[in-house]
Amino acid sequence: MKRPGRYAAGAAVAGVPLALAVLGPFFVGEPGARAASFTPGGGHWLGTDFVGRDVLDQVLLGGRPVVLVALAATALAYLVALPVGLVSALTHRRWLEETLMRPLDVLLAVPSLLMLLLVAAAFPPGAVGLALLVALVSVPDAARIVRAAAAEAASRPAVEALRMQGESWWRLAVGYVGRSILRTLAADAGIRLTGALYLVATAAFLGIGVAPDASDWAVMVDRNRAGLFIQPWAVVVPALLIVALTMGSNLLVDAAMEHRAPAGRTPRDRVRSEPAPRAPVPPRKGRRP
């Protein structure tokens, strides 16, 4: 698929859940009387859930918490991972690198679901606590990606030349190394956002940081899965919206990271492709030139 096609496909796939997350709550009216109408009809276009709430209203209301928490958790993870990774890659002090990276390696060895359960009690319930929790789980892996990409850029001769010229650490870290790893960070951001959505949904399944009756897509899937064959819309619709959001985000990132083919060869390419001129052959002795 070509680059414009990737953009169009990603925008179309991710646009629906994003639009519902942003605009959905404005289309929800006053809550009416609860009815046990699992099949669509009677004013309930998608039927009702296991407690009699309108499924369509829950879909319109449930996207904003998932999207906002995932985006906030991804941003918070990079706010911590970026300075840690850049300092570890650019420092010449071994003890500083070990101090920054070894605790993250210990956290990385702990499974994410187990970490969710262990630290859930330390965070306040609600969207803020869930965003902090997901960000904490995402920091170790993100910091390792930043450190690996920055270490490769920091080993280039240009960085050594800037150091010999007395450039500041900020100029090295942000002005050169940071700009060099933007493509890697953008590619990792799509994966990180997908992981954040997965952790947010998992936390909702486990009842961590989310009320059991909250209007949330992940909570809808968890609370209605027992009646999947009786009321499939309460499970299928929010699950498809979560999948569409993750797939669309990755398509957009892939399109942004795809290299654009050059329109023509540059003068340097033409010089490299042309054969080198032959040196003149000196005349043999005893013969006139």
Side-chain angles (χ1 to χ4, degrees), residues 217-239:
W217 287 345
V219 175
M220 290 180 64
V221 175
D222 179 50
R223 296 297 180 263
N224 294 281
R225 58 190 171 88
L228 175 62
F229 296 101
I230 300 175
Q231 168 51 297
W233 302 113
V235 178
V236 173
V237 173

Side-chain angles (χ1 to χ4, degrees), residues 221-282:
V221 175
D222 179 50
R223 296 297 180 263
N224 294 281
R225 58 190 171 88
L228 175 62
F229 296 101
I230 300 175
Q231 168 51 297
W233 302 113
V235 178
V236 173
V237 173
L240 288 178
L241 289 173
I242 294 176
V243 172
L245 181 59
T246 57
M247 290 182 59
S249 301
N250 285 323
L251 284 174
L252 289 174
V253 172
D254 290 343
M257 301 310 302
E258 184 180 358
H259 288 280
R260 183 174 297 177
R265 295 190 305 171
T266 62
R268 181 178 297 180
D269 295 333
R270 289 196 295 268
V271 170
R272 289 177 178 176
S273 61
E274 293 176 356
R278 295 182 178 180
V281 180

Side-chain angles (χ1 to χ4, degrees), residues 18-209:
L18 286 176
L20 288 177
V22 175
L23 303 176
F26 296 104
F27 293 93
V28 178
E30 295 294 332
R34 298 188 179 185
S37 175
F38 297 115
T39 58
H44 305 288
W45 289 11
L46 297 179
T48 59
D49 60 6
F50 71 108
V51 292
R53 297 178 300 183
D54 186 79
V55 172
L56 181 58
D57 289 345
Q58 296 302 305
V59 169
L60 295 175
L61 292 171
R64 185 172 293 181
V66 175
V67 174
L68 289 181
V69 169
L71 290 175
T74 304
L76 289 173
Y78 278 110
L79 284 177
V80 177
L82 273 174
V84 170
L86 289 175
V87 171
S88 300
L90 290 171
T91 185
H92 290 298
R93 298 176 176 86
R94 184 72 176 178
W95 64 268
L96 180 58
E97 180 183 358
E98 295 291 332
T99 303
L100 291 174
M101 298 304 298
R102 294 295 79 80
L104 297 180
D105 292 342
V106 174
L107 293 178
L108 192 63
V110 182
S112 58
L113 295 181
L114 180 59
M115 189 180 297
L116 282 174
L117 295 174
L118 290 177
V119 302
F123 288 93
V128 176
L130 183 57
L132 292 174
L133 179 59
V134 174
L136 178 63
V137 176
S138 305
V139 163
D141 199 13
R144 289 178 63 87
I145 295 294
V146 174
R147 194 263 176 197
E152 189 276 331
S155 62
R156 298 173 184 173
V159 176
E160 295 298 327
L162 290 174
R163 279 176 172 165
M164 293 178 64
Q165 293 176 3
E167 295 292 345
S168 63
W169 185 90
W170 181 263
R171 174 75 181 278
L172 290 174
V174 180
Y176 183 81
V177 176
R179 294 177 59 184
S180 301
I181 65 174
L182 281 179
R183 299 182 65 84
T184 303
L185 295 183
D188 182 66
I191 302 175
R192 202 66 50 209
L193 179 60
T194 302
L197 288 169
Y198 165 75
L199 289 175
V200 170
T202 303
F205 294 158
L206 298 176
I208 300 174

